[in-house]
Amino acid sequence: MRKKNKGILILAIALVLLLAVYFGLRAWNAGQEEKEAAEQEAATVHVTDTSADDIVSLKFDVGNGDLEFSKEDDQWYYTPDKDFPLKQSYPEDMAEAVGSVTADRELTDGDPTDAYGLDDPVYTIEYTDTDGNTTELLFGDMTGDDYYVMLSGSDTVYTVSSSVIDPLDHALDDMAQLDDYPSIGSGNLVKEVISQNGETTTYDSEDEDQAEDIAAVAGGLGAVTLSEAADYSVEDKDLGMYGLDADSRITVEATYTQDDEEQMLTLYIGNEDGNGNRYVMLNDSRIVYLISDEICDNILNA
């Protein structure tokens, strides 16, 4: 019995020693990682060092035209048109990118700035922080995969990876937050009511005589994709040019089921655009979409 207890004691001591070694190595590794991260950070050359949360405006042109964004109450807007449905992830990523630009190299004893194309920059990126400080980045010629970059008002030239531009390289249309469109088909379409010029046509799934009509209109409703827009923030005074004013448009009210509950979708269908599409609006949205004539005809059972 004593030998058995002694053996257990030895095993327990060994386990304690192994645990001590394990946690000791773990702590040492963590310390080494922190040390390496600190050394790497110390060696990093920051061209800009502004928290993305502190950036309240952006202005630049990296090949997609002049773009300007501003932030109010933690909400980003397209400055020339605050009604533009801006997807927030785009300016957030842009602020993150321009606020933390790091250099591959800092040039010392270099040539005059005109030798790097910085007297006539190919790109200029400007941002302002919450304290009103404005930072302007000038991008000159390329060297390999890097740009020569300089801060306005400084004479220090850096080389910066061309990937810095990537989060900014989007056309305005690409940054639109389009409306969600429901999944509708003959299996969940309950009823469709079409109204125009005081006349109403109803297709009801409970009417067996309208089975083919319901299948046709459901096919049209199910084929809609909201991917192309003619106007992202139409004003009431301009609805007439699209045939979407109250006196001209066709109103389609589709009742459908989703998660065993009835939902209502309202579509307004306007004029043809001359290119095989019609102007369409969804519910209370201010975006005017382009939907093919064929799909609209199916929705209207034309």
Side-chain angles (χ1 to χ4, degrees):
M1 180 66 72
R2 289 182 180 178
K3 288 183 178 180
K4 183 176 181 180
N5 290 339
K6 185 176 180 181
I8 293 173
L9 179 61
I10 292 172
L11 289 173
I13 292 172
L15 178 61
V16 170
L17 290 173
L18 287 171
L19 288 172
V21 170
Y22 168 76
F23 286 110
L25 286 172
R26 186 175 177 181
W28 184 83
N29 286 333
Q32 285 297 108
E33 290 176 0
E34 290 179 4
K35 181 181 177 182
E36 290 173 4
E39 290 175 351
Q40 185 176 356
E41 175 62 22
T44 300
V45 178
H46 291 274
V47 182
T48 62
D49 192 12
T50 306
S51 170
D53 292 337
D54 291 335
I55 294 177
V56 294
S57 73
L58 295 161
K59 186 177 181 181
F60 56 87
D61 179 358
V62 295
N64 294 300
D66 291 322
L67 293 172
E68 188 171 353
F69 305 96
S70 54
K71 185 168 69 172
E72 298 177 16
D73 298 325
D74 292 327
Q75 179 83 10
W76 281 99
Y77 299 94
Y78 174 54
T79 307
D81 181 7
K82 291 183 67 175
D83 291 326
F84 179 84
L86 181 63
K87 191 171 185 177
Q88 294 298 294
S89 60
Y90 284 97
E92 289 170 355
D93 290 346
M94 292 171 181
E96 184 71 35
V98 302
S100 57
V101 176
T102 58
D104 291 338
R105 288 188 302 141
E106 178 181 337
L107 305 186
T108 57
D109 300 325
D111 297 324
T113 55
D114 61 351
Y116 305 110
L118 290 165
D119 284 4
D120 184 19
V122 63
Y123 301 133
T124 299
I125 299 171
E126 179 183 303
Y127 70 83
T128 303
D129 64 23
T130 51
D131 293 328
N133 301 312
T134 297
T135 300
E136 189 176 55
L137 282 162
L138 308 178
F139 285 70
D141 297 335
M142 292 195 74
T143 171
D145 293 329
D146 292 352
Y147 281 103
Y148 291 113
V149 172
M150 183 175 68
L151 288 170
S152 181
S154 169
D155 56 4
T156 302
V157 178
Y158 308 90
T159 60
V160 171
S161 171
S162 60
S163 63
V164 169
I165 298 295
D166 293 347
L168 286 72
D169 190 12
H170 301 285
L172 183 62
D173 287 358
D174 297 334
M175 294 183 269
Q177 178 67 65
L178 302 181
D179 297 296
D180 293 326
Y181 187 83
S183 176
I184 299 177
S186 56
N188 70 336
L189 179 62
V190 177
K191 182 168 56 176
E192 180 185 89
V193 179
I194 303 171
S195 303
Q196 184 182 26
N197 299 327
E199 296 184 1
T200 299
T201 302
T202 300
Y203 298 107
D204 195 325
S205 63
E206 294 186 358
D207 187 340
E208 295 181 358
D209 293 335
Q210 293 185 324
E212 291 186 7
D213 295 323
I214 282 290
V217 299
L221 290 166
V224 171
T225 56
L226 305 179
S227 59
E228 187 176 0
D231 195 323
Y232 290 98
S233 55
V234 65
E235 297 183 15
D236 288 342
K237 65 182 179 62
D238 295 326
L239 289 173
M241 65 185 291
Y242 299 111
L244 289 167
D245 55 297
D247 294 332
S248 305
R249 67 194 182 195
I250 302 172
T251 301
V252 177
E253 294 178 320
T255 303
Y256 64 97
T257 57
Q258 180 176 300
D259 298 328
D260 297 324
E261 293 185 3
E262 287 195 357
Q263 307 284 343
M264 173 76 78
L265 169 71
T266 302
L267 287 176
Y268 301 112
I269 299 177
N271 297 335
E272 296 182 358
D273 72 341
N275 294 307
N277 302 297
R278 295 184 73 163
Y279 299 111
V280 175
M281 290 181 68
L282 175 69
N283 294 333
D284 297 324
S285 173
R286 305 305 299 178
I287 303 176
V288 177
Y289 294 98
L290 291 169
I291 307 296
S292 75
D293 288 337
E294 182 181 358
I295 290 175
C296 290
D297 286 346
N298 287 338
I299 292 172
L300 300 174
N301 200 27

